[in-house]
Amino acid sequence: MYDRFTTQRLIDLWLSEDIGSCDLTVQVMIEPTETGAFRMNARESMVLAGIDVAAAVFARYEPRLSIRVEAADGDRVEKGATLILVEGPAQGILTAERTALNIVQRLSGIATETARYVDIIKGTRARLIDTRKTTPGLRMLEKHAVACGGGLNHRLGLDNGVMIKDNHIAVCGGIAQAVERARRKLPVLTKLEVECDRLEQVREAVAAGADVIMLDNMPVPEMTEAVAYVAGRAKLEASGGIRYETIRAVAETGVDYISTSKITQSAPAVDIGLDEA
């Protein structure tokens, strides 16, 4: 779920950053008439994301290349699987290789990490969601990678929803006042979320008519109490300190969503290589 026009603009920036004036190695070693055939291979098991973006990198730099994508975003692929076959002018393949690999390795790492968390909470009502803690310039694609791994997207940006946090509440004089101010100008299809770290605040947020309540760094017993108190009158999001070891217990409290930045900020890149076919 990403915009292809915007992605093309990003690809131009990535290629310009890597190439500079020219790919000196290719220019001095490879003749323009020489051709090659290469396979992009998974060197470990993973959940794939960004494979079409990687193909678009090759196509953008060298339109004469023949590119065949062998897997799809969201696929769980095993070690040794072929992801892309690319043939044509060798200069183009070798110059675009690293940029294409960088993006698919990064996005597949996020998708794989997301799937790991999603697998842990299977069987509960909770859905894993992301945050705005993404790499500058890559948010659209990193959030796409989260979706490929089975997660859901939270706000895409600051213009995508109202999130009332402690500092907003402090300025407005309380949760009720903050919600009232926001409701006066809120677009009709936009959700309003209130961050709470105490049960007292949860009660205030429910009374004020919040659509979503974030239970921020709240201990599991208090989360359980909050779920019972809210009783479906608002959606509940658990956030803060979510780890592999704790996420199942959080999910079993009955919250609707669990958000974590670890699936984007801390996801390791997966191992993908380009080898001669």
Side-chain angles (χ1 to χ4, degrees):
M1 191 172 67
Y2 59 90
D3 183 76
R4 296 182 184 277
F5 172 76
T6 303
T7 302
Q8 287 295 330
R9 294 170 58 197
L10 291 172
I11 289 170
D12 287 347
L13 290 172
W14 302 337
L15 288 169
S16 295
E17 175 187 63
D18 199 34
I19 295 169
S21 299
C22 70
D23 181 347
L24 186 58
T25 306
V26 161
Q27 293 292 325
V28 300
M29 293 181 62
I30 309 297
E31 294 298 324
T33 55
E34 290 184 284
T35 60
F38 294 85
R39 295 181 300 169
M40 185 179 284
N41 298 316
R43 293 178 176 171
E44 61 179 292
S45 299
M46 67 187 69
V47 178
L48 192 61
I51 193 63
D52 291 323
V53 179
V57 170
F58 285 116
R60 176 61 173 163
Y61 186 70
E62 177 49 85
R64 295 175 295 171
L65 291 174
S66 171
I67 303 164
R68 192 168 79 230
V69 177
E70 296 287 297
D73 281 5
D75 286 353
R76 295 195 178 211
V77 300
E78 298 300 321
K79 179 179 179 180
T82 296
L83 309 177
I84 289 177
L85 289 168
V86 57
E87 299 179 66
Q91 283 189 344
I93 297 173
L94 298 177
T95 297
E97 170 188 358
R98 176 44 53 197
T99 300
L101 286 171
N102 282 350
I103 193 62
V104 72
Q105 287 175 320
R106 170 67 180 157
L107 297 185
S108 295
I110 290 172
T112 302
E113 190 78 349
T114 299
R116 185 177 176 188
Y117 277 89
V118 168
D119 287 347
I120 295 172
I121 62 174
K122 277 183 179 174
T124 70
R125 66 179 293 170
R127 296 295 304 273
L128 184 72
I129 59 177
D130 56 25
T131 70
R132 285 171 39 242
K133 295 178 182 179
T134 53
T135 308
L138 290 182
R139 178 174 296 170
M140 174 184 69
L141 294 174
E142 290 186 348
K143 282 182 170 282
H144 166 72
V146 168
C148 290
L152 296 175
N153 298 145
H154 200 276
R155 287 192 296 175
L156 304 180
L158 290 171
D159 60 349
N160 198 232
V162 171
M163 171 78 76
I164 299 176
K165 297 193 173 187
D166 52 358
N167 289 336
H168 302 111
I169 294 167
V171 171
C172 294
I175 288 176
Q177 296 93 320
V179 172
E180 182 184 1
R181 282 196 196 185
R183 289 287 186 203
R184 291 177 198 157
K185 299 180 180 179
L186 192 69
V188 294
L189 297 181
T190 304
K191 297 291 186 181
L192 186 153
E193 182 168 7
V194 178
E195 179 185 80
C196 301
D197 55 24
R198 304 187 306 277
L199 287 172
E200 173 190 341
Q201 292 179 318
V202 172
R203 297 186 190 99
E204 292 178 39
V206 171
D211 300 307
V212 184
I213 298 171
M214 177 191 289
L215 308 179
D216 185 44
N217 284 293
M218 195 175 282
V220 166
E222 287 188 33
M223 282 189 199
T224 304
E225 284 189 60
V227 171
Y229 176 79
V230 173
R233 288 175 287 176
K235 295 293 186 181
L236 292 175
E237 172 193 342
S239 185
I242 303 300
R243 306 187 306 276
Y244 295 130
E245 300 80 10
T246 62
I247 192 171
R248 180 74 191 190
V250 172
E252 289 175 346
T253 65
V255 295
D256 301 284
Y257 308 112
I258 303 174
S259 61
T260 177
S261 62
K262 292 187 181 300
I263 54 178
T264 49
Q265 281 191 325
S266 304
V270 295
D271 191 2
I272 297 172
L274 191 72
D275 305 302
E276 189 175 11

